[in-house]
Each structure stands twice: as structure tokens, then as C-alpha cells.
Amino acid sequence: MSSFLSQLHFQLSCALQQRIEICKLRQGEHLILGFSIGGGIDQDPGQNPFSEDKSDKGIYVTRVTPGGPAEVAGLMMGDKVMQVNGWDMTMVTHDQARKRLTKKNEDIVRLLVTRKSLEQAVRHSMM
Amino acid sequence: MSVPPSPSPPAFKIDSFRSKVELLRLPLALSSKSISHRKSQLGGAGQHGTGGGGAHRGKPRPPASDMDNESQYSGYSYKSSHSRNSRKHRDRRDRHRSKSRDGSSRGDKSVTIHAPGEPLLDTESTRGDDRDDNWGETTTVQTGTSEHSVSNEDLTRVSKELEESSPLECRRFLGPGLGAVLGLFALVTPLAFLVLPQLLWREALEPCGTPCEGLYVSLAFKLLVLLISTWALFLRPPRATLPRFYVFRCLLLALVFLFVASYWLFYGVRVLEPRERDYRGIVGYAASLVDALLFIQYLALVLLEVRHLQPAFCLKVVRTTDGESRFYNVGHLSIQRAAVWVLDQYYSDFPVYNPALLNLPKSILSKKSSGFKVYTLGEENNTNNSTGQSRAMIAAAARRRDNSHNEYYYEEAEMDRRVRKRKARLVVAVEEAFTHIKRLQDDEPAASSPKHPREVMDPREAAQAIFAPMARAMQKYLRTTRQQPYHSMESIINHLQFCITHNMTPKAFLERYLSPGPTLQYQRENGMGRQWTLVSEEPVTSALSRGLVFSLRRLDFSLVVTVTPLPFLHLGEEFIDPKSHKFVMRLQSETSV
């Protein structure tokens, strides 16, 4: 988080790309990441509240569970997930995205995410 | 003496084998009847008709002059697919003479098909000499080594000789005449069967009351139906003369002849001789003949008219001079029938062949002067070097930068512009000209006022009156589009008169000149046939098959026809329940991971 904040000073109002590493938490027999995704090429992009371009069919983070592994790792609501463990997430269906994130044999997922603009991100982090 | 098998000659050359021909003329039995008979015996279109008529000497033969029934100057022409004649009394109108030729070919055959009308475009070419050149038809019979067989070339020569010897008129009418006689004979036969016993031994006949009268009525009606259907189906002026026998028709003629002959035979032996007294049986016999004739007519209908209706092949017709091509679907036809059908479509589908529009202007193509001269130094291997030289020159010429495509492009653009400009002027002139006249309504007084009497004109005068302002624009436009040979001033005024009479607008008047119409539009009314030559490697009575190619040649261009079968269709079925059409709104689903 601190490295992220230090980057904020130098890059103003541009889309940031950040690498976030989330360690999955084991709850019972499931491995959870602690956030929710929306979007996909089979979904309706016009209803995405987080995207700037309403034809963007990428995968977006719609909710982050407070205290969950995603929040701890620095994922924020509205982030667009570009890659998961090297797999591209910009042109996948919703189900494919879910599958890539919930592979049972992986304990750690490394996401490459993009955020809209600096100001909003900062504002968000202040809240 | 045996005829040595000769190598297949070029299609249009006829060598001199005439000395052998005379010896073989009689045994050949080249009359149409006997060959058709032979064909029917062999079961259909004979690819291997035996030459030599030794076995047929006993048959009564019509004079040899009818063998070659095809005239190349037919004033009447047949559409072969309509001139079906299976019954003799149907043949009354049949003027289609066909030659009996069966057998395989050995090389190119070239036979002639005639269609009505006169050629529009080859006015400058001589027509009298065509016959010899195009008549290089090779004969039908496959050469064997037996004495009685005849080689292809020999039969050609025989036919050529016979055709030269007999006058044209006879030949043309002999075939249909024969058919008509046969038809009349078949028609009269049942009546003869009924009448003869009455005439000859009336007293001895057993009286036969109601059943006979019933049979009389049915006989009468069946004959009436036969007559009417014959008139409806077969009594049509033929439109083409085919080079070879029309196989189905000959088959049916032979069948009818056989039928009637056998009935007469039976009648003569069983009824006339012992003077049969059971009249009812005789009437029943005559009725059965009429039934059989009706069935033969049904067979004729199916074979000649119906079988080729279901499409089976796709013909691609390409005109060699300008690449105009069309695709047609036809059914199972023989090559000659398909050729006639294609020609029918050609006259109404293909735009007219304009020789002036064909080639690139010489200015573009003539820049091929080779700037290279090749000198051989040293060795004397002349033969090797000549091919090497030409190849080197070609390669060098190819490598040289060639800008003729540029000139072609600009020339085309310039030509388009010019045509469009002239067309605009023409359209404006015609529109303006049409505003000068109007149709006089009936209730209007002819004189609007005593001071300005209006002259009442008939269409011809009106056309001439308004032709003058548009004449120049029209002439320039026709010259630019190279159409001026097709439209004389007289024809334009006629067309203008026609359009005025029918209340056409200027645009309707111009449609004839703005785009080249089908060839049929430019035909002059004439009794002479259009001469086409069918060139094919297969015998022209064989059926269409995959990959067959034949061409129809005219004096200055030809149509190449390629045959491909229509694909077999596997049609599957899928049932869609009308209730299964359901839709959902596309939502943004959210999944927690």
C-alpha cells in the first residue's frame, strides 16, 4: 500500500496498472479471495458502473469484502482485472474469469489491475 | 472388300474415298427408317451401330435420298424439343428431318444446326460456301474390320454425295411426310378394322347390339382424344433442324410402325382369311388398338416432353469473343437438343455481339516492339540457339517496365467520360423533343381557335416531326458507343413512332439505345435460318454428362458450353418448437470469488 501511495505523487490522472498479489484464504473447503467480479464478453457492458467506456467488456471488481485477502492486498472496487496469473482477462466470458480466479490448485493469484484515475483512487483510499 | 480403318481426319477435311463408297452405298441401308429400326433393336442410342446393311436388305427402303434429310437451308426450322413425333398422325406437321447416324466418333464432329432468321452481323461474309466447310462430319459407325462395316469417313462421304445429288426440297419434306403417312395410317387402321368386315361379308356377321354400340362410342371418343392431343402437343412448327436423328422420336416412330404392322398382321391372318363372324370381337380388337395408340402417345409425351423438364445439369455458356457467360439449368437431354435449347436462351439473354467493342485500341498494345536484338557469337548450334533466343527475348521483354496498363486505364476513363457526356446530351434532347407533341384527346376540338388551327398528325408524321431536334445527339451517341450499325435512321423513326403510339416516356424510348439489348432484338424478319455449327467430341445424340464440353460455332464467334451436374442435395430437418423462442435481458452478473 505504501509503495502504491508513493507512486501516486508522480503519476497524476492516468490509469495505473498495478500488480496485486492475493493469498487465498481457506474457509472450510473453499479458497476465497474476498471480492466479487462483474463483466465479461457475454455480459451487458452498458450496466457496468465502474467502466468509463460503456462498451468495455472487461472484468471489473464490483465489491471487496472488508478484511478479506483482496482488501489486504490492495485491491479496490472498480479495478479492472487485466491479467490473472498471466492469463488474459480482457476477452473472457464471465464464467471463464471466475474459473481462472478459483483454481483449486493455486494458493496465490497475481492480478494485473487498472484503475480509472488518480484522483478518484486517492479519494477512495482516503475514505 | 474390306475398308481399312483410317486415322481420324481433321474435322473439315474430307479425303477421297469415294471409289470405295459406291460399292458400299447399297448395303449400308442408310435410310432413316431402317437405322432407327436397327437402333430400336439395339435398344436406344447406339454407340456401336453396326455398319453394313447386309442384314437389312430385305426391308423395304425408301429411296436413298432421304437418308440425309437435313437441309442446311431450311426455311422452316424446328425447335427440336417440341417437334416430337411418335405417332404417325401426329407427324403431319413434322418437318424435322433428321439423319440417322449412330455410333461413336473418332475425333471432332462438326454438324450443323439451323435456327430461323438471318444473321444480322455477318452480312459481309459469304454464306454459300459454308456448306462444304462445315460439313466435315464424321460418320456414326464404329470402324471394325469386317467387310460390312464402314468407317466414319466413308459414311460422311456417302452422305455428302447423296446430299449433293438430291434436290433440297425433297429431302426436307421426306421425313415429316413419312411421319405424316404413318400417322394417318395409324389413325385410319381402327376404322378400317371396323369397316372391312361390314363391306366384305356383311351377311355372315353375327349381329351385335348394345355392347358393340358401347364400344363404338368409346372408340369414337378415344380417337377424338388422340386427335386433339396430337394437335395440341405435336402439331407445332419446328424451330430447328438437328444434325442427327432425334433418337426418341425415331424409337417411337418405329414402335408405332411395329404396333400397327403387327395388328394388321394378326387381323389379316385371323380375321380376313377365315372371315371371322364374331363382330364384337373385331370391334374389341379395334378398341384395343386405339388403347395401345393412346399409351404410345403417353410414352411419347413422357419421353419427348416431360423427361427433360426436371433439372439435372448446369450448363455454363461462354461467348468466346467477349466472355459473356450465363448459367442455365437443364434436364436430361442429348447434346443436340441441349444445343438448341442453349441457342434459344442465347437469343434472348446474351447482349448482342458487337465486334467493334472488343479489342484494346492498337495504340495501347503496339508498344510491344522489342528493343532487343540477339546475336549469336561463336558456336553453330542453330537449333538450340533459336529457342534460347526467343526465350531470352521474351524474358527481357517481360522484365522491361511496361506502362501500357496506365494508358489503358486512362483511355477507359476518358471513354467513360465521353459516353456519359453524350448520353446526357441525348437524354436532354429527347426529353425536349417529346415536349413538342401531345396526344389529342377525343373530346378536344381539333382546332383550338380559328386563327391557330392545329394540324392533326398520325404517329408517323409526329415521329418525323420530333425526330429532327434529337437526330444529331442520337447519332453522336450511337457513334460513341459503336452502335450505329444496328440502328438506321428508319429504325429509329419506327421506334419513335411505336413509342409515341403507346404513350411512352422519353426514358422508355431511350432504353433501347442506352444498353445493348439481347440479340433477338436485332434480328431482321427473314425466312432464312440462322446457321450454327455444333462441334463436339462425343456423338451428338449422346446424353449430357459430367464434364462434357461442346461448342456452337458461328462465323465470327462461338459459344462454349460446359456441363456440370447439379449437386445432390442432402436436405435435413430441424424442428423448432415455437415455444422455444425465449429471450432474457443481458445483465451484469456478479460472482464472488
Side-chain angles (χ1 to χ4, degrees):
Chain A
M1 200 59 155
S2 56
S3 65
F4 163 63
L5 280 173
S6 64
Q7 277 175 37
L8 291 181
H9 292 295
F10 297 106
Q11 297 168 37
L12 302 173
S13 65
C14 62
L16 298 174
Q17 281 203 343
Q18 185 178 3
R19 295 186 185 276
I20 294 183
E21 200 171 296
I22 306 179
C23 299
K24 293 192 190 174
L25 182 64
R26 184 166 285 277
Q27 259 190 10
E29 61 190 41
H30 302 294
L31 285 169
I32 64 165
L33 288 161
F35 64 98
S36 298
I37 55 166
I41 54 176
D42 55 340
Q43 304 285 313
D44 182 10
Q47 303 198 15
N48 190 345
F50 305 108
S51 59
E52 282 186 17
D53 176 13
K54 288 305 170 192
S55 63
D56 183 8
K57 293 190 174 183
I59 307 290
Y60 281 80
V61 175
T62 56
R63 205 162 48 85
V64 178
T65 321
E71 195 189 19
V72 165
L75 194 65
M76 318 208 79
M77 186 166 72
D79 288 355
K80 178 177 171 184
V81 179
M82 311 286 279
Q83 289 180 12
V84 171
N85 281 347
W87 292 99
D88 171 59
M89 297 292 261
T90 54
M91 276 286 157
V92 292
T93 64
H94 191 85
D95 210 40
Q96 283 170 343
R98 179 189 58 82
K99 282 185 184 152
R100 297 247 174 88
L101 285 165
T102 54
K103 284 201 172 1
K104 290 220 160 60
N105 52 358
E106 292 170 355
D107 280 344
I108 299 181
V109 287
R110 294 182 177 82
L111 310 176
L112 180 69
V113 302
T114 269
R115 221 159 274 155
K116 236 191 308 194
S117 75
L118 171 67
E119 282 184 45
Q120 288 179 350
V122 169
R123 211 179 300 129
H124 208 72
S125 67
M126 301 289 200
M127 288 194 295
Chain B
M1 65 176 255
S2 65
V3 179
S6 55
S8 60
F12 307 116
K13 293 289 181 225
I14 299 191
D15 299 323
S16 55
F17 272 117
R18 294 188 184 239
S19 58
K20 294 197 183 92
V21 163
E22 275 83 2
L23 291 173
L24 295 168
R25 188 187 290 207
L26 272 184
L28 279 182
L30 289 171
S31 68
S32 55
K33 282 298 305 172
S34 53
I35 285 200
S36 77
H37 195 55
R38 206 183 313 142
K39 265 196 216 171
S40 60
Q41 285 175 355
L42 293 173
Q47 291 273 346
H48 311 289
T50 60
H56 296 276
R57 245 173 247 199
K59 257 185 118 46
R61 268 194 296 280
S65 62
D66 81 329
M67 178 213 71
D68 177 15
N69 309 8
E70 177 173 24
S71 131
Q72 300 190 263
Y73 304 109
S74 64
Y76 307 93
S77 41
Y78 305 73
K79 172 146 176 58
S80 66
S81 60
H82 290 310
S83 60
R84 299 315 141 252
N85 175 18
S86 73
R87 317 279 319 277
K88 302 157 244 181
H89 55 272
R90 276 177 234 132
D91 260 339
R92 241 174 253 133
R93 64 94 197 101
D94 180 23
R95 287 171 194 73
H96 168 74
R97 311 99 42 306
S98 46
K99 235 176 352 243
S100 149
R101 309 260 165 141
D102 50 338
S104 66
S105 70
R106 300 193 307 145
D108 271 349
K109 289 184 196 297
S110 136
V111 300
T112 314
I113 293 183
H114 294 271
E118 190 188 64
L120 171 75
L121 300 169
D122 33 334
T123 46
E124 62 274 9
S125 56
T126 62
R127 291 184 39 99
D129 302 330
D130 290 347
R131 178 157 75 136
D132 291 331
D133 288 338
N134 291 339
W135 199 243
E137 180 185 11
T138 56
T139 61
T140 67
V141 179
Q142 191 165 25
T143 304
T145 52
S146 103
E147 297 181 335
H148 296 294
S149 70
V150 183
S151 73
N152 282 350
E153 296 78 26
D154 290 348
L155 266 182
T156 311
R157 266 150 243 128
V158 169
S159 73
K160 194 160 158 24
E161 243 190 50
L162 290 175
E163 145 201 339
E164 285 165 9
S165 59
S166 54
L168 293 173
E169 305 307 315
C170 266
R171 266 209 320 263
R172 201 170 63 192
F173 288 116
L174 216 67
L178 201 67
V181 163
L182 206 54
L184 208 57
F185 188 52
L187 176 64
V188 160
T189 299
L191 301 174
F193 284 179
L194 289 181
V195 159
L196 277 178
Q198 298 276 353
L199 286 181
L200 294 180
W201 62 90
R202 166 168 264 195
E203 319 76 37
L205 281 178
E206 291 167 8
C208 135
T210 322
C212 271
E213 283 156 17
L215 282 173
Y216 289 156
V217 172
S218 85
L219 206 67
F221 275 119
K222 280 182 197 161
L223 278 177
L224 186 67
V225 166
L226 266 179
L227 271 178
I228 293 182
S229 61
T230 306
W231 169 83
L233 289 172
F234 302 115
L235 275 151
R236 274 174 289 192
R239 288 198 41 252
T241 63
L242 296 185
R244 301 215 168 182
F245 241 156
Y246 181 20
V247 173
F248 285 147
R249 186 207 327 239
C250 300
L251 203 67
L252 289 162
L253 265 179
L255 198 64
V256 169
F257 180 73
L258 263 183
F259 242 85
V260 175
S262 59
Y263 264 76
W264 267 111
L265 194 65
F266 186 83
Y267 186 76
V269 168
R270 291 297 202 180
V271 174
L272 286 181
E273 290 258 334
R275 301 215 158 196
E276 176 70 37
R277 299 176 61 221
D278 176 18
Y279 194 56
R280 192 174 174 286
I282 296 175
V283 177
Y285 185 63
S288 79
L289 173 63
V290 177
D291 284 341
L293 289 179
L294 269 175
F295 286 133
I296 293 187
Q297 185 177 55
Y298 163 73
L299 186 66
L301 186 64
V302 164
L303 278 184
L304 302 179
E305 303 277 340
V306 171
R307 183 171 173 259
H308 62 78
L309 288 179
Q310 187 179 28
F313 295 100
C314 182
L315 303 180
K316 175 174 183 182
V317 185
V318 182
R319 186 158 61 184
T320 54
T321 48
D322 53 3
E324 282 281 336
S325 68
R326 295 281 187 282
F327 287 85
Y328 298 115
N329 283 356
V330 295
H332 290 277
L333 291 173
S334 63
I335 294 184
Q336 54 185 7
R337 282 176 82 189
V340 173
W341 194 89
V342 162
L343 284 179
D344 277 341
Q345 308 303 310
Y346 168 79
Y347 275 104
S348 54
D349 280 347
F350 276 68
V352 66
Y353 162 61
N354 194 344
L357 283 177
L358 284 183
N359 304 314
L360 294 182
K362 286 266 168 44
S363 57
I364 296 177
L365 286 178
S366 66
K367 309 226 165 163
K368 297 286 178 73
S369 59
S370 111
F372 297 96
K373 286 198 183 215
V374 181
Y375 298 94
T376 52
L377 307 171
E379 306 300 323
E380 296 300 320
N381 310 349
N382 289 333
T383 50
N384 291 352
N385 276 351
S386 57
T387 49
Q389 265 185 37
S390 48
R391 248 184 253 137
M393 281 172 64
I394 292 172
R399 259 180 261 126
R400 188 164 43 107
R401 182 186 295 269
D402 186 6
N403 276 337
S404 56
H405 59 273
N406 252 349
E407 283 141 36
Y408 175 61
Y409 168 70
Y410 285 117
E411 179 87 22
E412 280 259 308
E414 175 68 25
M415 179 66 144
D416 274 347
R417 204 178 60 86
R418 222 180 302 151
V419 167
R420 274 204 298 271
K421 198 163 67 159
R422 292 273 163 88
K423 176 177 163 183
R425 287 205 188 129
L426 173 67
V427 168
V428 164
V430 170
E431 296 256 359
E432 217 174 322
F434 266 67
T435 60
H436 289 319
I437 59 166
K438 81 177 184 95
R439 182 175 273 268
L440 185 66
Q441 306 300 327
D442 283 338
D443 45 358
E444 269 182 38
S448 54
S449 75
K451 286 200 203 129
H452 305 283
R454 294 210 291 217
E455 179 190 328
V456 177
M457 300 183 282
D458 69 355
R460 177 101 193 147
E461 291 162 6
Q464 278 164 343
I466 64 173
F467 178 65
M470 71 164 90
R472 187 174 160 75
M474 172 72 81
Q475 191 186 37
K476 287 197 137 148
Y477 177 79
L478 288 181
R479 214 168 263 161
T480 310
T481 55
R482 317 270 175 92
Q483 277 179 313
Q484 75 272 16
Y486 302 131
H487 304 287
S488 66
M489 194 171 87
E490 186 62 28
S491 78
I492 299 177
I493 294 187
N494 282 342
H495 185 60
L496 190 55
Q497 173 188 346
F498 173 78
C499 293
I500 292 177
T501 315
H502 293 275
N503 292 329
M504 291 202 195
T505 62
K507 197 163 174 186
F509 164 70
L510 280 176
E511 68 83 28
R512 190 179 192 182
Y513 305 105
L514 292 181
S515 56
T519 315
L520 203 56
Q521 192 176 332
Y522 301 97
Q523 304 303 315
R524 292 199 203 104
E525 293 304 318
N526 208 311
M528 297 263 309
R530 299 260 187 297
Q531 181 170 359
W532 289 81
T533 309
L534 174 59
V535 178
S536 127
E537 288 164 18
E538 303 277 327
V540 296
T541 48
S542 62
L544 294 178
S545 60
R546 169 197 295 269
L548 198 64
V549 175
F550 61 94
S551 70
L552 289 154
R553 192 178 317 141
R554 199 64 203 274
L555 289 165
D556 37 4
F557 64 94
S558 56
L559 301 171
V560 178
V561 181
T562 315
V563 179
T564 45
L566 290 175
F568 183 77
L569 303 170
H570 292 277
L571 208 57
E573 179 202 350
E574 182 181 337
F575 173 69
I576 295 186
D577 186 4
K579 295 203 200 75
S580 71
H581 297 292
K582 295 196 191 315
F583 293 90
V584 291
M585 293 290 292
R586 289 167 88 181
L587 295 176
Q588 189 80 350
S589 59
E590 192 184 357
T591 318
S592 352
V593 293

